[in-house]
Amino acid sequence: MPVVRTLTRTVKRVLQSPVCGCQAVTSVRFIGFSPRQVTSDASFHSVSFSEADHPRVLITGGLGQLGVGLAKLLRKRYGNNNVILSDIRKPPDHVFHSGPFIYSDILDYKNLREIVVNNRITWLIHYSALLSAVGEANVPLARAVNITGLHNILDIAAEHGLRLFVPSTIGAFGPTSPRNPTPDLCIQRPRTIYGVSKVHAELMGEYYHYRYGLDFRCLRYPGIISADSQPGGGTTDYAVQIFHDAIKSGRFVCNLKPDTRLPMMYIDDCLRATVEVLEAPAESLTMRTYNINAMSFNPEELAQEVRKHLPELEVAYDVDAVRQAIADSWPMNFDDSNARKDWGWKHEYDLPELVTTMLGYLSPQRLDAQAQAS
Ligand SMILES: NC(=O)c1ccc[n+]([C@@H]2O[C@H](COP(=O)([O-])OP(=O)(O)OC[C@H]3O[C@@H](n4cnc5c(N)ncnc54)[C@H](O)[C@@H]3O)[C@@H](O)[C@H]2O)c1
Ligand SMILES: C[C@@H](O)[C@H](N)C(=O)O
């Protein structure tokens, strides 16, 4: 009985401690390890890394909408060779020639571990996922990539003392969550495999943080809007497509109803937030999973703003039942006050700046000039 009592006391201590920071008491996979934090002596918002202390970064699922832009940003800060993009797809020429790229399937644990060891990785940014709409179309694959894949990532990160960033999403909330606004901590009962897998990622990451001292950091992104990369099959994709169609044909068919309000963000804000939370001193983080937000609009409001530049734009609605049901269960407005308070999050793009920037980027003259230069 004394053994049981001692064990009970130990478990209680571990569960009650706000940040464990302890040695792992059992191995995560087959081998033992001592969680080692990457030092975070950098001061937030004005970090500069010397040659000696820069992180060595691996981005999984890096060829999607967000990974290439993030790699570009991180390479500027930490050096080209210190940021490795990886994916299971073949990179386009310009990506392949812009910096290190490596094949990595997150379902292959041994290969992932080999990459981390051979490249002395210290930060892991885990972007691989199946998004909301494609996830519903292939639940077994979404479950494998988003859940089994995450388990591999968590174990490797814990085993090698990595700082781990995993994005979550507005999709981690559901119809029973408060939707206007949605705070960081509230009921989370999403009804998509994507949402369920992201809640699982949030909880598992936080559990590994408290249990093994893993330096887990997570932001819940809104729908992200970008000009030079295509979205990978989500519910918010319409807000990217409208710009392409407005410029190409002046006509856009929207797959969500005109009054479907969702939180959204321009990609530059999203990538900057990611770097900021990654560089934030651990003491500034009172939580390990934060909402971040910039703006909130519906298709009708977006179309009105685009019409200020392209008055001829025609918008028709052909509602996709699956996407509409998903959108109707998601937050309309996102409360990101904790991120603003703890580590100084501040967005730069509201709807008017977003529209001007997107149209400027996609204007035929600019695209022509880019094509001639390449
Ligand atoms: N884009 C958004 O609006 C948004 C919003 C919220 C959260 N997020 C999250 O941000 C992350 C990146 O999003 P994105 O828009 O770039 O996604 P995306 O769908 O565009 O790209 C995901 C990438 O994962 C890769 N992938 C799939 N299976 C893989 C496997 N087995 N091994 C390795 N890679 C694999 C795909 O090839 C793809 O390139 C995701 O985790 C997503 O959930 C994105
Ligand atoms: C919101 C986000 O997670 C993604 N763009 C999706 O719609 O699935």
Side-chain angles (χ1 to χ4, degrees):
M1 287 316 272
V3 174
V4 174
R5 263 202 304 275
T6 311
L7 202 60
T8 311
R9 270 202 303 275
T10 309
V11 168
K12 255 191 187 156
R13 246 199 337 267
V14 167
L15 292 177
Q16 282 164 357
S17 87
V19 176
C20 171
C22 53
Q23 298 284 309
V25 288
T26 51
S27 61
V28 165
R29 269 209 198 180
F30 312 105
I31 54 170
F33 67 93
S34 305
R36 177 173 53 85
Q37 303 285 321
V38 175
T39 49
S40 79
D41 49 358
S43 73
F44 191 37
H45 287 293
S46 59
V47 179
S48 74
F49 286 84
S50 74
E51 273 298 298
D53 63 9
H54 48 59
R56 300 263 311 153
V57 186
L58 174 68
I59 304 175
T60 70
L63 295 184
Q65 186 189 2
L66 307 184
V68 173
L70 183 67
K72 199 170 159 194
L73 192 61
L74 295 179
R75 282 173 180 159
K76 265 195 207 136
R77 295 177 80 77
Y78 314 137
N80 220 43
N81 289 331
N82 291 312
V83 180
I84 302 174
L85 264 179
S86 72
D87 207 299
I88 52 174
R89 295 195 273 150
K90 194 170 155 189
D93 282 356
H94 73 278
V95 173
F96 187 70
H97 294 298
S98 66
F101 177 85
I102 203 162
Y103 171 88
S104 171
D105 181 347
I106 57 155
L107 295 174
D108 184 345
Y109 178 80
K110 196 166 163 286
N111 167 251
L112 205 54
R113 183 202 257 170
E114 201 172 299
I115 291 170
V116 165
V117 169
N118 287 350
N119 294 285
R120 298 179 303 114
I121 297 301
T122 55
W123 289 11
L124 182 48
I125 297 174
H126 179 48
Y127 268 177
S128 311
L130 261 65
L131 302 194
S132 57
V134 291
E136 288 312 292
N138 192 341
V139 173
L141 185 62
R143 199 179 66 174
V145 173
N146 296 9
I147 298 179
T148 309
L150 174 90
H151 293 168
N152 289 341
I153 293 287
L154 282 171
D155 285 355
I156 280 162
E159 191 180 308
H160 297 281
L162 310 182
R163 180 167 298 182
L164 173 63
F165 177 82
V166 180
S168 185
T169 163
I170 50 173
F173 297 93
T176 50
S177 308
R179 295 179 59 221
N180 193 12
T182 305
D184 281 302
L185 296 176
C186 62
I187 292 172
Q188 285 180 269
R189 285 292 179 276
R191 299 222 177 133
T192 59
I193 185 64
Y194 178 59
V196 169
S197 69
K198 289 295 186 178
V199 177
H200 178 73
E202 294 175 6
L203 291 174
M204 285 296 286
E206 291 182 9
Y207 173 72
Y208 269 52
H209 172 67
Y210 290 111
R211 181 72 172 78
Y212 301 116
L214 174 68
D215 190 354
F216 172 78
R217 300 173 185 220
C218 174
L219 296 180
R220 295 192 189 103
Y221 295 161
I224 306 301
I225 298 165
S226 58
D228 61 351
S229 56
Q230 287 298 320
T235 303
T236 58
D237 292 9
Y238 90 86
V240 175
Q241 196 57 42
I242 187 173
F243 291 100
H244 292 272
D245 292 0
I247 286 177
K248 222 180 332 165
S249 64
R251 195 161 191 285
F252 173 63
V253 180
C254 185
N255 55 23
L256 293 181
K257 290 182 192 163
D259 60 352
T260 310
R261 180 173 301 282
L262 291 167
M264 300 278 185
M265 183 178 281
Y266 183 55
I267 187 166
D268 286 13
D269 273 342
C270 166
L271 301 182
R272 183 170 53 79
T274 304
V275 175
E276 287 182 2
V277 81
L278 269 164
E279 291 181 354
E283 332 61 273
S284 69
L285 305 175
T286 61
M287 308 188 304
R288 288 287 158 164
T289 302
Y290 288 92
N291 292 351
I292 51 163
N293 197 23
M295 64 194 98
S296 203
F297 56 73
N298 65 37
E300 184 53 37
E301 289 163 351
L302 177 57
Q304 286 298 354
E305 194 63 39
V306 175
R307 282 197 194 99
K308 290 182 185 165
H309 304 260
L310 300 169
E312 310 298 306
L313 172 68
E314 284 173 32
V315 178
Y317 292 90
D318 181 12
V319 172
D320 175 298
V322 173
R323 282 183 165 84
Q324 187 66 48
I326 294 174
D328 287 343
S329 74
W330 281 3
M332 293 190 274
N333 273 299
F334 226 23
D335 174 356
D336 61 357
S337 49
N338 287 313
R340 289 175 193 265
K341 179 165 52 75
D342 285 1
W343 46 275
W345 165 240
K346 197 168 181 297
H347 72 278
E348 282 177 5
Y349 291 80
D350 282 305
L351 182 56
E353 295 83 42
L354 167 83
V355 170
T356 313
T357 307
M358 286 293 288
L359 292 176
Y361 202 98
L362 295 172
S363 71
Q365 299 88 318
R366 181 171 172 154
L367 293 179
D368 268 359
Q370 271 171 0
Q372 276 163 19
S374 64

